[in-house]
Amino acid sequence: MILKTFGWSFGVTAIGLAAAFYFWGWEGFAVVAILSVLEISLSFDNAVVNAGVLKKMNAFWQRIFLTIGILIAVFGMRLVFPVAIVSVTAGIGPIDAVQLALDNPDQYQEMVTDAHPSIAAFGGMFLLMIFLNFIFEERDVHWLGRLERPLAKLGRIDSFAVGVALAALLLTASTVATHAYQHGGTYSDESSTVLLAGLAGVLTYLVVGGLSGFFENKLEEDEERAEAEVEEAKAAGQQPTMVGLAGRAAFFLFLYLEVLDASFSFDGVIGAFAITNHIFWMALGLGIGAMYVRSLTIYLVREGTLDEYRYLEHGAHYAIGALATMLLVSIRWHLPEVVTGGVGVALIGLSFWSSVRANRADAATRRGGGDDGDGGGVDSGKSAIPSGV
């Protein structure tokens, strides 16, 4: 199972590290390896949340996510995205931006750093919307019940999550963004930029998440009709296919996953500049890390880990909320990568341990013939996608 799921990741790791050593020696090898570990640590919560969405897809779309999706993740976000930032910021063509990254990496890094406020605002608000819609949604299983139950009641108010997110954006634009950090230790007022980028992040979530939620809800209706069509096809001597029936819903879930992955990758790309400004080292290291995140997502789905460890998805969403907050704070203050990655890993680790303890308590209760009480039920099955956005 491990080799089948992580085989491509192992292969890409071997090829990537070998290429780094061949072209750039031990220095390139070491930096690429460090960046790989950095990306995995920063994106572990991404894998958990992805698994919550991916388990709704059939095997065909899971393969699409692992193939086409990884191409988008590696080449789109880890290589093309930094180049696109410089291209737009400097008003030059993509080829010139790549040439700039090779010939003058310091200037390239400066342009990416100066674009950080808009990147952090977009990604931070998108991730914040995911967290808010999770925490304000009523569910059967609670990890931190004293906190989650009152918040779930507030979520009954129409568009409450959107209101909280916009309030957070206004606060960030009017305080943190007035002294946004720039390359070289200088500061500038980026209030309008942060406000526009943050609004774009909220709007992207509402559009993509809303479409995903809509088609997810319709998927059950499609499956019911599919069963009737399958019986009719069999009666007519035809071989039906289920891929087309679930294709539309799965496509929008796939689109949602790609936007989600893009938002998670922002901190990894920016954080990589603290280690190196070599464009190809970054692409190799972050790309290897992205492969493991994809494989880990598939592993969680196939092993049913989210159902077995009931609080794991809660921990991942709390990690998302923490990451969203740190992205917004980083507009003004630089946060070490060990902090941004460590907080997420710690929250997921705590939720995993809480799940293990709850499972042991349930087993002991069953042996004693008693009731397992609140929080001991089955996984609610809620994902990051909102119902009713």
Side-chain angles (χ1 to χ4, degrees), residues 99-179:
Q99 195 66 41
L100 178 65
L102 297 175
D103 297 340
N104 195 341
D106 291 334
Q107 185 180 356
Y108 174 81
Q109 178 181 352
E110 177 181 348
M111 290 180 176
V112 175
T113 301
D114 290 344
H116 177 68
S118 58
I119 299 170
F122 179 91
M125 292 309 300
F126 185 89
L127 295 177
L128 183 62
M129 284 296 301
I130 293 174
F131 169 71
L132 292 176
N133 274 283
F134 179 86
I135 202 66
F136 288 138
E137 187 176 33
E138 293 189 9
R139 57 192 69 254
D140 298 328
V141 175
H142 296 285
W143 180 30
L144 307 177
R146 293 183 180 180
L147 172 65
E148 294 172 4
R149 291 190 187 94
L151 291 177
K153 293 179 180 179
L154 290 175
R156 297 173 184 173
I157 303 174
D158 290 341
S159 303
F160 189 76
V162 177
V164 173
L166 293 178
L169 177 59
L170 287 174
L171 180 63
T172 302
S174 60
T175 56
V176 177
T178 56
H179 293 80

Side-chain angles (χ1 to χ4, degrees), residues 183-198:
H183 185 81
T186 61
Y187 295 87
S188 65
D189 187 351
E190 300 289 339
S191 300
S192 59
T193 299
V194 167
L195 188 61
L196 289 174

Side-chain angles (χ1 to χ4, degrees), residues 41 43 51 59 82-83 89 94 128 130 132 134 141 146 150 172 177-178 206-207 210 243 274 295 297 329 345 369:
S41 65
S43 300
V83 171
T89 303
L128 183 62
I130 293 174
L132 292 176
F134 179 86
V141 175
R146 293 183 180 180
T172 302
T178 56
L206 293 175
V207 172
V243 174
S295 297
T297 299
V329 169
V345 172

Side-chain angles (χ1 to χ4, degrees), residues 156-329:
R156 297 173 184 173
I157 303 174
D158 290 341
S159 303
F160 189 76
V162 177
V164 173
L166 293 178
L169 177 59
L170 287 174
L171 180 63
T172 302
S174 60
T175 56
V176 177
T178 56
H179 293 80
Y181 179 81
Q182 300 288 284
H183 185 81
T186 61
Y187 295 87
S188 65
D189 187 351
E190 300 289 339
S191 300
S192 59
T193 299
V194 167
L195 188 61
L196 289 174
L199 287 174
V202 173
L203 181 61
T204 300
Y205 175 84
L206 293 175
V207 172
V208 178
L211 287 173
S212 301
F214 172 76
F215 283 106
E216 180 188 2
N217 293 335
K218 285 185 66 69
L219 185 56
E220 291 185 4
E221 300 176 8
D222 291 342
E223 290 176 344
E224 291 177 359
R225 289 196 302 269
E227 291 178 0
E229 293 179 8
V230 166
E231 294 300 325
E232 293 178 1
K234 287 182 177 180
Q238 300 174 352
Q239 183 65 33
T241 175
M242 298 298 294
V243 174
L245 295 173
R248 183 173 57 177
F251 170 75
F252 280 101
L253 288 176
F254 172 78
L255 180 62
Y256 177 85
L257 281 175
E258 291 306 312
V259 177
L260 178 64
D261 179 77
S263 298
F264 271 102
S265 68
F266 289 153
D267 63 322
V269 172
I270 299 301
F273 280 103
I275 299 174
T276 182
N277 52 18
H278 195 295
I279 183 174
F280 293 118
W281 292 1
M282 288 176 58
L284 278 175
L286 298 181
I288 291 172
M291 280 294 301
Y292 280 98
V293 173
R294 280 297 198 278
S295 297
L296 181 59
T297 299
I298 296 293
Y299 179 81
L300 293 174
V301 172
R302 292 176 177 172
E303 290 294 301
T305 306
L306 297 184
D307 295 329
E308 182 179 356
Y309 300 102
R310 69 194 72 174
Y311 303 133
L312 198 58
E313 196 169 2
H314 291 71
H317 280 86
Y318 280 109
I320 288 176
L323 178 57
T325 302
M326 289 185 288
L327 276 173
L328 297 177
V329 169

Side-chain angles (χ1 to χ4, degrees), residues 335-349:
L335 299 176
E337 286 67 40
V338 66
V339 174
T340 57
V343 169
V345 172
L347 287 169
I348 293 176

